[in-house]
Amino acid sequence: MRHVRYERILDLPGLLAKKSCFLFGPRATGKSYLIREQLASRAIVVDLLRADTFLRLSANPTELEAIVGARRGPSTWVVIDEIQKIPELLDEVHRLIEERRIRFLLTGSSARKLRRGRANLLAGRAWPASLFPLVWPEIPDFDLARHLRWGGLPSVVPSDDADEELGAYARTYLQEEILAEGLVRRLPPFARFLTVAALANGQMVNFEQIASDAAVPASTVREYVAILEDTLVGFLLEAWTGSRRRKAIATAKLYLFDPGVTHALSGTRTLDRNSDLWGRSFEQWIGLELRAYLAYRRRPDRLAYWRSTHGHEVDFLVGDHTAIEVKATRRVAPRDLRGLRALAEERAFRSLLLVTDDATEAVRDGVRCLPWGAFVRQLWADTLLPR
């Protein structure tokens, strides 16, 4: 494996200079590495994965003040890693923010998991922040084919054996995140569900069909989808239903958080450039870049998609201003503009974009056609989406 130092976009010191923060991200996206790289000697790290620390604080959360007070300087921040392991600590964090003006960085796997446990989410005293797998500007010498096949986990990108790394990730997720945390009673049905969910990545959620394929009840599938959201391995892309000329479908789509993990869970061995799977992975990647961009730039725009009951579809809608269709084609054809042209009749979005593997940039029927390279360059340069 090559050793590569990644310059991450998320700026923890910049956030903590303003306010305490929750930092959420899926397993192995590099939260601990980022903390070491960006905070270094400026932070006290309270690691709840350490048995002695966990036992001390779970027995008496008020011990946190003693741990912090013994080592804290006037400009030191406090990091509590894996805060969801002791949700009761958040009451003490709340008090220390109020009484001693301490800035905290609280890392964990999901705000939803804390909220379900009725944890104190600090009532606005800490901003939420997210960390994702590596995105386009963070990867030197970005290779599209490699990324669509193996994804952007920091341990996978430089690996000479990416399949082995991804297989280990899937096994660790099942054993440590799901089984050890007691999120399911039996692991085999959930493992089957993961495979089916990965195969259905980017498609509208059909609980009955997934239940049939995974051999579990539909009610269980709903629980399993919630677990994917809770552990940040999957997310639901909601449907936009504001169209008036054409009736819209309201069913959400399910996406997994990384193309490589998706392929590992579905059992993909090869990714052929001319296959439908390539096109779906290409669409997934563009959606993940948009999702990360909106989070890292702290933009409030909602990400959604649109599909009419007659089959017109646009892959991604950003706020109320930009509609983006994604096609892996190397030559744009009139049929590729069909969904955007139908949506244009609603007069609801100012900017219509088609992202493709075509090397030519052009404007057709009011749609701006962009090669994927131009799309990500302009996106991360903050020149693509209107304010």
Side-chain angles (χ1 to χ4, degrees), residues 9 135-137 285-297 299 301 303 318 321-322 324 353 355 368 370-387:
I9 290 172
V135 290
W136 176 80
W285 169 60
I286 293 295
L288 295 176
E289 291 285 319
L290 284 166
R291 183 172 179 246
Y293 173 83
L294 294 174
Y296 288 158
R297 295 295 194 260
R299 291 186 53 151
D301 298 295
L303 191 63
V318 183
H321 50 78
T322 305
I324 302 169
L353 303 177
V355 181
R368 188 178 173 203
L370 282 174
W372 65 264
F375 172 83
V376 289
R377 280 194 299 273
Q378 293 175 35
L379 177 70
W380 290 103
D382 302 317
T383 59
L384 186 74
L385 301 180
R387 286 286 178 180

Side-chain angles (χ1 to χ4, degrees), residues 50-357:
R50 287 179 56 98
D52 56 344
T53 303
F54 174 81
L55 290 172
R56 179 181 177 184
L57 290 173
S58 59
N60 186 5
T62 60
E63 285 285 295
L64 179 63
E65 184 170 16
I67 294 173
V68 170
R71 292 181 283 168
R72 183 173 179 267
S75 61
T76 306
W77 298 311
V78 178
V79 177
I80 302 181
D81 209 4
E82 302 295 336
I83 186 65
Q84 79 278 354
K85 291 189 173 294
I86 311 180
E88 296 80 9
L89 272 180
L90 287 167
D91 290 330
E92 191 66 11
V93 168
H94 189 156
R95 183 181 69 81
L96 292 174
I97 290 174
E98 288 291 294
E99 294 181 4
R100 295 184 53 185
R101 299 292 186 263
I102 296 175
R103 293 277 169 84
F104 284 88
L105 178 68
L106 309 164
T107 80
S109 59
S110 173
R112 295 177 80 246
K113 186 183 294 184
L114 291 171
R115 192 177 295 114
R116 287 183 176 200
R118 298 182 180 178
N120 179 353
L121 294 181
L122 308 182
R125 291 169 179 82
W127 286 343
S130 299
L131 186 65
F132 302 97
L134 297 169
V135 290
W136 176 80
E138 296 174 330
I139 303 176
D141 304 317
F142 181 86
D143 183 324
L144 178 64
R146 179 179 176 86
H147 194 82
L148 295 189
R149 174 61 184 87
W150 288 294
L153 288 178
S155 62
V156 172
V157 170
S159 177
D160 296 324
D161 198 342
D163 280 325
E164 189 68 30
E165 290 281 351
L166 287 165
Y169 181 94
R171 290 190 296 272
T172 302
Y173 171 71
L174 284 171
Q175 294 296 328
E176 296 184 12
E177 194 88 28
I178 302 302
L179 191 61
E181 292 290 335
L183 298 180
V184 298
R185 294 179 181 176
R186 295 176 58 238
L187 198 57
F190 185 77
R192 291 197 304 271
F193 159 77
L194 276 180
T195 299
V196 175
L199 290 169
N201 175 71
Q203 299 179 21
M204 289 186 295
V205 181
N206 185 326
F207 290 101
E208 287 72 23
Q209 184 61 56
I210 294 174
S212 174
D213 292 343
V216 296
S219 59
T220 301
V221 170
R222 295 179 188 276
E223 295 174 8
Y224 286 173
V225 169
I227 290 173
L228 291 185
E229 292 185 278
D230 283 344
T231 57
L232 304 179
V233 164
F235 65 96
L236 292 175
L237 184 70
E238 298 297 333
W240 179 72
T241 56
S243 54
R244 298 180 179 179
R245 295 176 63 91
R246 291 179 170 85
K247 183 176 176 59
I249 290 174
T251 305
K253 287 185 176 183
L254 176 65
Y255 282 93
L256 301 191
F257 81 107
D258 178 77
V261 172
T262 304
H263 295 316
L265 294 174
S266 66
T268 299
R269 290 290 172 261
T270 60
L271 187 61
D272 182 75
R273 172 63 186 81
N274 297 315
S275 67
D276 178 65
L277 184 56
W278 175 284
R280 289 169 54 193
S281 298
F282 184 65
E283 174 192 314
Q284 179 188 15
W285 169 60
I286 293 295
L288 295 176
E289 291 285 319
L290 284 166
R291 183 172 179 246
Y293 173 83
L294 294 174
Y296 288 158
R297 295 295 194 260
R298 306 196 68 79
R299 291 186 53 151
D301 298 295
R302 176 196 180 206
L303 191 63
Y305 86 101
W306 174 71
R307 182 180 176 87
S308 75
T309 54
H310 289 91
H312 296 92
E313 184 170 349
V314 175
D315 294 318
F316 303 107
L317 307 178
V318 183
D320 60 358
H321 50 78
T322 305
I324 302 169
E325 177 68 2
V326 182
K327 297 290 185 184
T329 181
R330 287 176 170 167
R331 179 169 294 182
V332 175
R335 64 178 179 274
D336 298 324
L337 306 174
R338 179 171 170 262
L340 287 167
R341 282 200 301 259
L343 184 62
E345 296 175 9
E346 300 292 334
R347 301 186 181 278
F349 295 87
R350 290 171 285 167
S351 180
L352 305 176
L353 303 177
L354 176 67
V355 181
T356 72
D357 201 13

